[in-house]
């Protein structure tokens, strides 16, 4: 087992970071010393007590035996004044009985608006009839923050062909249903339930068919298919990727797919069983539902229905007719949330990061090690280690000083690599009793009223990494320009290439404005031990580590048990007393709303900004909490445009909302080094495909805990087929760069070789996603929508339409079971490595040999894939010769495309789009556009050529025999030596390659 010399730096790195955490803190007891030759200034600091982040003791409504069921005590509404109009109808909804005020104050009169906004989109909006300046923020989600779909310009005509139909009833109280006209299927129906609409609680429900297939409703670590016994909470939370709970982002959108079996007469019957017949004929219809509401909320999925429970806002629902996932996803993005941002080419290279890179020298050693071992490295990242006392927009003057950084970045950029730093979401407040504790970023923001306040107008001061902090108020007049100015100023000193936005839920390590009376203690230490500090030593390892490393595992297990015992809190005796808030007429309790959602942190103010924090226009954080991450991504996008003009901003953010994809990508957060989390990365990525955020990846090899060789081997290969490919782990854990283990070096090189060959294909997929709303990573069920056996498939995935990935996800496995969708019904797949067609039967779960270091990858027939020779950086890969892989269908046809531009410009001066078509023993390439690419075509590989090939020609000119190889066993034709014939550029003119 090979270990890099860099791994011996772990202890040095950790100690250096801890001693220098408060470098340059000015205090009477400051001292200057050095550790292992690294000078650092530090002083003893106040540690915030753990009690500061303890909120009220609450019990979630869904677990509370004393909770009232609003359906049993509330009267519902009655519709009147129904008026039709060219696009739908309006109506008045009046409370149908006495107020119930079960979890808030009932709204007696509501307005209903129904609009057929396009041929495939129906809008249903229910709002209070009286909305004015005093309550507008309670119910209206501003369209300048989250786009509100409006009728298409031609809706008067196109809506007439809608496949959706809205029907309402007052029997026994107001309800509505949405039907699919073509099938008569009920897509959404509140019939049999009551509408509840209060100032802090809105409930509506719809029936669902048995064993339904719902997807989406993020963000959650969960299987792709949500199941029918799951409560999805949406409240942005800083939590370490806990399974099945609310996480960082909120995406109130779901896809509903229903399968039908067709009989000989074409009659359809709904499929509700999990078992299906591979040879039967099925058809599916899908629709999408988006509820444009940013308040804290729960969606209850139960065996026969879905129930939405909102802590505020209105019902602003959109139904997308589909009937396929691609149509729904495209319509959702184009009309509701926006198309995903186009990424720069370099962002698809490999990224390396960790919390614990102590200085520029260590960072350089990581870069050097990747190069020494011949492993591609495109981007090096730094976590909060680089910051001056964990403060945004400033570097540690000793370990990450600007002068040394300029030299590091100059060499890095010259080698074709890039640098991405983390930027946190809270801003340090200087200690007012210490005149030398200067921080201009705070001063500049405070001067423009850029920060949130308490209800009394004083600054809201929470606690994050640097100590007591304030939080940008993105709806204030000054925050956006202040953020731009700080970014531009910092970039003038440090030429970074993108931004990593973290802690943007937004996170705060205490309840309420805990720093208001304690600011003279700044800087302070968080109330918890950092990873690696006493009491929080990292002892975790992946599943099966005890089998492969028994001695080390036993030692770690014993130490972990001792640490856990030492940290164990004394258990309390007696019954737990829960805070239960009773609605008060005319008053809203935003800190403790009467309805308690199942928030992973409990109290809404725990580890978050308190709901009563106030924005410039008087809006409370209660209304906007789920949008902080969305807004900081918007601000960062425009700040990067100012700091690095002309080029596309590259941003990876933690907290997202519907529409964040038009500015940024997302990583899966603080996962754990376990095989389980490697599996969950696939449904995470597929869900974000539905949400319009295709630039997704996870912390490869795991963030929390220690990884091991086997897990990192498998994970480095799996993530090579995710759009965003980054290795990252926590402070105090073992190093896990790709060069740490010899087998991981080999596995990474193997997978990266494929990835880098496919970069033109991946870039083209993003171009199409950016322009048409198509997806990049795809579930098997989306590519094969009429196969109900794939409804829950989330252990395999497609990269675009052409690449099928079947990874090993279980510890100790040397084989993996996989299906080949469509086989037996016209589909064919080719093994990437052998080029031969796969031998599989319809519906068969094939056992595939997959020893450690091998990830099964297949090319789907009927696809043409552009490739390029790999290099260690994408800049050099873009200068290499091209290749084409034509994977023929059983009928001998295939098609594909290639998009080329300069890879960086926000608005490229020129572009090139090449279309490929294969048929009748010929492959055609036809381009259009003015972008000039002079790289030649090196080779063409045609898969599935059934007959021996004796001659090949390119544009009528014979290709020499030594350049033609036909493998009768694999049925693969390989044509090389095309460089001279295409010396002006592979796409400088159209061509046809013929064989026979």
């Amino acid at each position: 087992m090979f270990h890099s010399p860099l791994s011996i730096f772990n202890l040095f790195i950790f100690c250096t970071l801890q001693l220098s955490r408060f470098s340059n803190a000015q205090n009477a007891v400051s001292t200057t010393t050095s550790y292992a030759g690294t000078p650092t200034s530090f002083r003893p600091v106040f540690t915030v007590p753990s009690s500061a982040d303890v909120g009220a003791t609450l019990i979630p409504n869904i677990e509370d035996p004393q909770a009232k069921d609003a359906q049993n005590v509330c009267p519902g509404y009655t519709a009147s004044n129904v008026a039709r109009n060219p696009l739908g109808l309006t109506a008045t909804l009046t409370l149908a009985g006495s107020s119930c005020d079960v979890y808030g104050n009932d709204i007696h009169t509501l307005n209903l608006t129904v609009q057929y906004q396009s041929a495939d989109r129906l809008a249903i909006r229910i709002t209070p009839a009286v909305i004015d300046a005093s309550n507008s923020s309670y119910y209206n989600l501003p369209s300048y923050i989250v786009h509100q779909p409006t009728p298409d310009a031609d809706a008067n005509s196109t809506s007439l062909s809608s496949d959706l139909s809205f029907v309402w009833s007052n029997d026994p109280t107001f309800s509505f249903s949405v039907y699919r006209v073509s099938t008569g299927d009920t897509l959404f129906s509140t019939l049999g339930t009551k509408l509840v609409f209060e100032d802090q609680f809105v409930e509506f429900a719809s029936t669902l068919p048995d064993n339904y297939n719902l997807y989406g409703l993020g963000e959650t670590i969960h299987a792709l298919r949500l199941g029918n016994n799951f409560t999805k909470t949406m409240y942005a939370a800083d939590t370490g990727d806990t399974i099945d709970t609310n996480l960082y982002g909120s995406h109130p959108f779901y896809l509903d797919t229903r399968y039908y079996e067709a009989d000989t007469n074409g009659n359809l019957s709904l499929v509700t069983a999990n078992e299906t017949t591979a040879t039967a004929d099925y058809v599916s219809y899908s629709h999408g539902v988006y509820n444009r509401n940013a308040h804290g909320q729960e969606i209850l999925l139960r065996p026969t229905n879905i129930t939405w429970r909102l802590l505020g806002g209105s019902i602003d629902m959109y139904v997308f007719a589909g009937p396929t996932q691609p149509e729904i996803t495209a319509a959702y993005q184009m009309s509701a949330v926006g198309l995903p941002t186009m990424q720069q080419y370099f962002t698809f290279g490999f990224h390396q990061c960790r919390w614990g890179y102590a200085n520029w020298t260590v960072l350089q050693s990581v870069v050097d090690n990747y190069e020494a071992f011949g492993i591609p490295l495109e981007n090096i990242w730094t976590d909060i280690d680089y910051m001056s006392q964990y403060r945004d927009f400033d570097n540690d003057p000793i370990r990450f000083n600007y002068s040394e950084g300029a030299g590091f970045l100059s060499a890095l950029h010259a080698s074709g690599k890039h640098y991405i730093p983390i930027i946190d979401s809270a801003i340090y407040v200087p200690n007012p009793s210490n005149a030398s504790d200067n921080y201009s970023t705070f001063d500049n923001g405070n001067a423009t009223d850029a920060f949130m306040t308490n209800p009394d107008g004083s600054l809201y001061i929470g606690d994050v990494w640097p100590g007591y902090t304030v939080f940008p108020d993105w709806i204030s007049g000054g925050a956006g320009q202040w953020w731009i100015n700080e970014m531009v100023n910092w970039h003038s000193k440090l030429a970074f290439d993108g931004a990593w936005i973290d802690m943007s839920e937004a996170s705060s390590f205490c309840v309420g404005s805990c720093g208001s009376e304690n600011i003279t203690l700044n800087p302070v230490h968080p109330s918890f031990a950092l990873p690696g500090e006493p009491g929080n030593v990292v002892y975790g390892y992946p599943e099966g580590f005890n089998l492969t490393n028994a001695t080390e595992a036993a030692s770690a297990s014993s130490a972990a048990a001792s640490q856990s015992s030492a940290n164990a809190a004394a258990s309390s005796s007696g019954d737990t007393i829960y805070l239960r808030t009773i609605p008060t007429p005319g008053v809203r309790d935003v800190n403790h709303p009467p309805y308690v959602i199942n928030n992973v942190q409990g109290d809404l103010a725990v580890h978050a900004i308190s709901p009563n924090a106030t924005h410039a226009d008087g809006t409370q954080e209660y209304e906007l909490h789920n949008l902080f991450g969305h807004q900081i991504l918007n601000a960062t996008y425009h700040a990067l445009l100012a700091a690095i003009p002309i080029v596309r901003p590259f941003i990876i953010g933690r907290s997202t909302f519907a529409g964040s994809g038009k500015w940024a990508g997302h990583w899966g957060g603080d996962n754990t080094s376990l095989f389980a989390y490697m599996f969950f990365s696939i449904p995470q990525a597929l869900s974000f495909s539905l949400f319009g955020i295709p630039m997704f990846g996870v912390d490869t090899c795991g963030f929390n805990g220690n990884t091991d060789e086997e897990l990192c081997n498998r994970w480095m290969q799996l993530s090579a087929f995710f759009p965003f490919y980054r290795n990252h782990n926590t402070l105090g854990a073992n190093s896990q760069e790709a060069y740490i283990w010899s087998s991981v070096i080999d596995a990474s090189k193997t997978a990266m070789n494929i990835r880098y060959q496919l970069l033109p294909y991946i870039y083209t997929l993003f171009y199409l996603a950016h322009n048409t709303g198509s997806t990049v990573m795809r579930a098997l069920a989306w590519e094969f929508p009429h196969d109900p056996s794939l409804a829950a498939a989330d252990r395999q995935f497609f990269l675009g339409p052409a690449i099928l990935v079947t990874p090993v996800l279980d510890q100790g496995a040397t084989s993996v079971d996989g299906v080949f969708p469509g086989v037996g019904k016209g589909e064919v797949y080719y093994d990437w490595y052998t080029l031969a067609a796969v031998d599989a039967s319809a519906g068969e779960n094939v056992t595939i040999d997959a020893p450690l270091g091998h990830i099964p990858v297949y090319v789907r027939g009927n696809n043409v894939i552009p490739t390029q020779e790999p290099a260690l950086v994408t800049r050099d890969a873009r200068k290499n010769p091209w290749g084409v892989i034509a994977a023929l269908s059983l009928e001998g046809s295939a098609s594909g495309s290639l998009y080329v531009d300069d890879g960086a410009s926000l608005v490229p001066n020129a572009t090139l789009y090449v279309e490929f078509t294969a048929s009748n023993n010929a492959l055609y390439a036809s381009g259009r556009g003015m972008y000039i690419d002079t790289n030649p075509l090196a080779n063409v590989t045609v898969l599935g050529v059934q007959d021996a090939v004796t001659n090949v020609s390119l544009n009528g000119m014979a290709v020499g025999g030594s350049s033609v190889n036909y493998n009768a066993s694999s049925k693969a034709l390989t044509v090389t030596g095309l460089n001279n014939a295409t010396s002006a550029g592979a796409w400088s003119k159209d061509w046809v390659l013929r064989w026979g």
Side-chain angles (χ1 to χ4, degrees):
M1 185 180 297
F2 172 81
H3 288 273
S4 162
L6 186 62
S7 63
I8 68 174
F9 290 166
N10 279 353
L11 178 61
F12 158 68
I13 290 172
F14 169 72
C15 294
T16 300
L17 289 170
Q18 299 314 301
L19 290 173
S20 63
R21 178 176 181 270
F22 298 101
S23 62
N24 296 329
Q26 302 299 311
N27 188 282
V29 295
S30 291
T31 58
T32 301
T33 186
S34 65
Y35 187 87
T38 300
T40 180
S41 299
F42 69 99
R43 68 168 174 84
V45 298
F46 174 73
T47 296
V48 177
S50 59
S51 59
D53 201 24
V54 176
T57 303
L58 305 173
I59 181 171
N61 180 277
I62 61 171
E63 299 175 4
D64 187 356
Q66 299 181 28
K68 295 180 180 178
D69 185 346
Q71 293 298 311
N72 293 335
V73 298
C74 294
Y77 287 81
T78 300
S80 61
N81 302 322
V82 179
R84 295 178 181 175
N85 58 58
L87 293 181
L89 61 85
T90 60
T92 301
L93 306 182
T94 307
L95 203 64
S98 301
S99 297
C100 63
D101 299 329
V102 61
Y103 295 116
N105 297 292
D106 280 2
I107 308 300
H108 286 255
T109 307
L110 306 171
N111 288 337
L112 167 68
T113 303
V114 178
Q115 286 183 328
Y116 291 86
Q117 295 189 338
S118 70
D120 63 354
R121 184 175 73 256
L122 173 68
I124 303 165
R125 184 166 169 80
I126 301 176
T127 62
V130 179
I131 296 179
D132 55 28
S134 68
N135 66 359
S136 177
S137 65
Y138 302 176
Y139 307 111
N140 286 338
L141 176 54
S143 59
Y144 73 87
I145 300 178
V146 178
H147 174 70
Q148 185 173 33
T150 57
D152 290 358
D154 58 354
N156 280 330
S157 58
T158 60
S159 62
L160 297 176
S161 61
S162 175
D163 199 25
L164 301 174
S165 176
F166 177 90
V167 177
W168 65 274
S169 171
N170 272 338
D171 185 13
T173 61
F174 171 75
S175 65
F176 68 87
S177 301
V178 178
Y179 296 93
R180 185 182 297 280
V181 175
S182 60
T183 64
D185 193 19
T186 303
L187 306 187
F188 197 98
S189 178
T190 67
L191 188 66
T193 67
K194 298 171 186 173
L195 171 64
V196 182
F197 204 120
E198 300 174 341
D199 58 1
Q200 288 194 270
F201 181 74
V202 178
E203 178 175 283
F204 61 105
S206 171
T207 54
L208 286 172
D210 291 342
N211 206 27
Y212 52 81
N213 306 298
L214 256 61
Y215 313 88
L217 297 177
E219 178 180 11
T220 305
I221 306 295
H222 191 80
L224 178 63
R225 182 174 181 247
L226 296 175
N228 60 11
N229 186 25
F230 178 52
T231 298
K232 172 63 196 124
T233 304
M234 291 187 190
Y235 195 78
D238 172 10
T239 180
D241 277 20
T242 44
I243 294 172
D244 287 350
T245 71
N246 53 306
L247 291 181
Y248 317 102
S250 302
H251 293 271
F253 167 87
Y254 71 76
L255 174 75
D256 182 337
T257 297
R258 303 179 186 184
Y259 296 93
Y260 301 83
E261 185 171 4
D263 63 20
T264 55
N265 296 318
N267 298 316
L268 302 179
S269 57
L270 184 67
V271 175
T272 59
N274 289 322
E275 298 299 324
T276 57
T277 304
T279 57
D281 291 324
Y282 299 95
V283 64
S284 75
Y285 289 86
S286 294
H287 65 275
V289 174
Y290 168 47
N291 189 40
R292 182 180 167 273
N293 184 294
H295 279 78
Q297 57 192 273
E298 285 180 344
I299 299 97
L300 284 66
L301 300 178
R302 298 298 183 260
T304 61
N305 69 312
I306 179 172
T307 300
W308 297 72
R309 292 175 178 171
L310 319 172
L311 295 186
S314 298
I315 298 172
D316 191 6
M317 191 173 80
Y318 302 84
V319 182
F320 299 89
T324 66
Q325 173 273 325
E327 291 171 298
I328 294 162
T329 302
Y332 174 58
Q333 293 177 68
M334 289 183 171
S335 67
V337 299
L339 291 161
T341 185
M342 184 62 185
Q343 300 291 340
Q344 295 187 61
Y345 202 93
F346 82 81
T347 64
F348 300 113
F350 175 66
H351 305 251
Q352 178 61 53
C353 183
R354 82 160 294 170
W355 183 7
Y357 290 148
N359 50 48
W360 290 122
T361 301
V362 171
L363 212 60
Q364 184 65 59
S365 71
V366 175
V367 174
D368 292 344
N369 273 316
Y370 270 97
E371 187 163 344
F373 287 106
I375 306 170
L377 175 67
E378 184 79 16
N379 306 283
I380 189 74
W381 297 48
T382 48
D383 208 311
I384 56 177
D385 319 286
Y386 79 85
M387 295 178 175
S388 176
Q389 304 176 80
Y390 295 170
R391 304 178 187 186
D392 277 354
F393 305 120
D394 199 9
N395 279 39
D396 186 286
I398 298 173
R399 296 178 297 105
F400 283 94
N401 64 78
Y402 291 120
S403 59
E404 187 179 349
F408 170 82
L409 291 178
S410 177
L412 189 79
H413 289 147
S415 68
K417 300 180 180 70
H418 305 84
Y419 167 65
I420 315 294
I422 197 171
I423 302 172
D424 278 338
S425 301
I427 302 299
Y428 175 79
V429 181
N431 188 328
S433 66
N434 186 350
S436 59
D437 187 17
N438 299 313
Y439 185 40
S440 62
T441 293
F442 168 81
D443 296 334
N444 296 337
N446 199 35
T448 59
D449 297 322
F451 305 125
M452 292 187 212
T453 64
N454 289 302
D456 65 4
S458 62
L459 285 176
Y460 180 96
I461 304 176
D463 173 34
V464 195
W465 299 119
Y468 292 126
T469 53
V470 290
F471 301 87
D473 174 8
W474 300 113
I475 65 173
S476 73
Q481 189 58 53
W482 159 76
W483 192 255
I484 289 172
N485 294 343
E486 296 302 314
M487 191 80 74
V488 169
N489 178 59
W490 186 41
H491 189 267
S492 70
K493 295 179 285 187
L494 190 74
F496 51 86
D497 300 290
W500 171 22
I501 302 298
D502 197 15
M503 311 299 287
S504 51
E505 293 71 35
S507 176
S508 178
F509 302 158
C510 66
V511 173
S513 188
C514 62
S516 293
E517 302 300 323
N518 299 303
I519 199 64
T520 56
L521 297 173
N522 240 357
V524 298
H525 188 286
S527 60
F528 50 87
L530 274 63
E533 289 184 341
N536 194 18
V537 177
V538 181
Y539 292 121
Y541 283 91
E543 310 93 325
F545 186 72
N546 61 313
L547 302 176
T548 57
N549 298 267
T551 302
E552 188 175 354
S555 176
S557 177
S558 175
S562 298
Q563 178 172 269
S564 178
S565 177
N567 292 340
S571 59
S572 59
S573 59
D575 295 334
T576 302
I577 300 175
Y578 298 106
L579 173 66
R580 292 182 173 90
T581 303
I582 305 300
T584 301
V587 176
R588 294 193 318 154
D589 189 335
V590 296
N591 285 338
H592 299 108
Y595 183 86
V596 180
I597 61 173
N598 191 25
N599 178 26
V600 65
Q601 303 287 11
D603 190 318
L604 299 182
V606 170
H607 229 65
I609 301 171
S610 179
N612 73 340
T614 307
H615 295 262
D617 65 353
T619 301
Q620 293 180 298
E621 180 68 2
Y622 182 84
E623 332 294 352
L624 297 175
H625 170 80
N626 283 340
L627 296 171
F628 187 99
H630 183 70
Q631 292 174 287
I632 196 175
L633 294 176
N634 183 5
T636 302
Y637 183 89
H638 290 92
L640 285 178
L641 279 179
I644 318 174
I646 309 302
V647 302
R648 307 161 200 158
F650 173 53
I651 309 167
I652 296 294
R654 191 165 80 173
S655 183
T656 59
F657 191 77
S660 294
K662 58 181 171 285
W663 303 308
H666 174 60
W667 97 103
D670 296 345
N671 63 4
T672 301
S673 295
L674 294 170
F675 280 84
Y677 279 93
M678 181 169 61
F679 154 69
F680 278 122
S681 70
I682 299 175
Q684 273 186 286
L686 295 174
S687 294
F688 274 86
S689 291
L690 291 178
F691 303 148
I693 306 181
M695 191 61 171
F696 178 90
V698 297
D699 285 346
T700 300
C701 301
F703 176 75
N704 286 309
N706 298 298
T707 195
D708 68 3
E709 182 176 4
E710 181 185 1
L711 176 61
C712 202
N713 187 305
R714 294 297 192 189
W715 212 333
M716 282 295 294
Q717 291 205 314
L718 169 60
S719 287
F721 298 91
F722 279 47
F724 177 53
Y725 184 19
R726 185 182 73 166
N727 181 314
H728 176 50
N729 71 321
T730 191
L731 183 68
N734 295 338
S735 294
Q736 63 182 42
E737 291 82 5
Y739 50 74
I740 296 297
W741 300 274
S742 57
S743 78
V744 179
I745 293 174
D746 294 339
S748 299
K749 285 183 175 181
T750 297
M752 288 184 182
N753 181 272
I754 302 173
R755 178 188 180 88
Y756 277 60
Q757 286 185 64
L758 290 174
L759 286 179
Y761 171 71
I762 295 172
Y763 193 67
T764 301
L765 290 175
F766 265 80
Y767 166 76
L768 294 172
H770 173 65
N771 283 276
T772 70
S774 60
T775 52
V776 177
M777 284 183 68
R778 303 178 182 182
L780 274 58
W782 305 343
E783 285 296 295
F784 293 87
H786 305 312
D787 185 349
S789 71
L790 302 176
D794 55 9
R795 297 177 69 89
Q796 299 173 264
F797 61 91
F798 281 99
L799 182 61
I803 299 295
L804 174 64
V805 183
T806 307
V808 172
L809 301 172
D810 299 314
Q811 190 277 326
T814 57
S815 65
V816 59
D817 291 342
V819 297
F820 294 90
V823 167
K825 295 188 175 182
E827 291 287 339
V828 61
Y829 295 84
Y830 302 93
D831 188 299
W832 175 274
Y833 306 94
T834 69
L835 307 183
V838 173
D839 183 14
S841 302
E844 180 185 4
N845 212 4
V846 180
T847 298
I848 303 163
D849 189 40
L852 192 64
H854 176 75
I855 181 169
V857 179
Y858 303 91
V859 183
R860 181 180 168 192
N862 203 36
N863 285 280
V864 179
I865 300 173
T867 65
Q868 208 160 11
E869 291 182 15
L872 292 180
V873 292
T874 61
R875 177 199 64 188
D876 296 341
R878 282 174 58 89
K879 300 174 184 177
N880 284 343
W882 294 92
V884 176
I885 299 172
L888 301 181
S889 68
L890 295 178
E891 292 76 29
S893 62
S895 63
S897 61
L898 167 68
Y899 172 76
V900 188
D901 63 14
D902 64 14
S905 297
L906 188 67
V907 182
N909 291 326
T911 65
L912 174 67
Y913 193 75
V914 181
E915 294 180 286
F916 303 102
T917 305
S919 63
N920 299 319
N921 292 353
L923 173 64
Y924 302 84
S926 176
R928 60 181 185 270
M930 301 303 294
Y931 183 82
I932 298 175
D933 181 285
T934 58
N935 300 313
L937 177 67
N939 55 76
V940 174
T941 302
V942 186
L943 309 181
V945 178
Q946 298 305 311
D947 299 320
V949 175
T950 58
N951 60 82
V952 174
S953 66
L954 180 67
N955 280 352
M957 300 295 293
V959 178
S962 62
S963 297
V964 177
N965 179 61
Y966 176 73
N967 188 313
S969 176
S970 64
K971 306 294 184 184
L973 169 64
T974 303
V975 183
T976 58
L978 301 175
N979 302 58
N980 290 337
T982 58
S983 59
W987 326 118
S988 61
K989 60 181 179 180
D990 296 350
W991 52 257
V992 55
L993 183 84
R994 300 183 186 275
W995 61 91

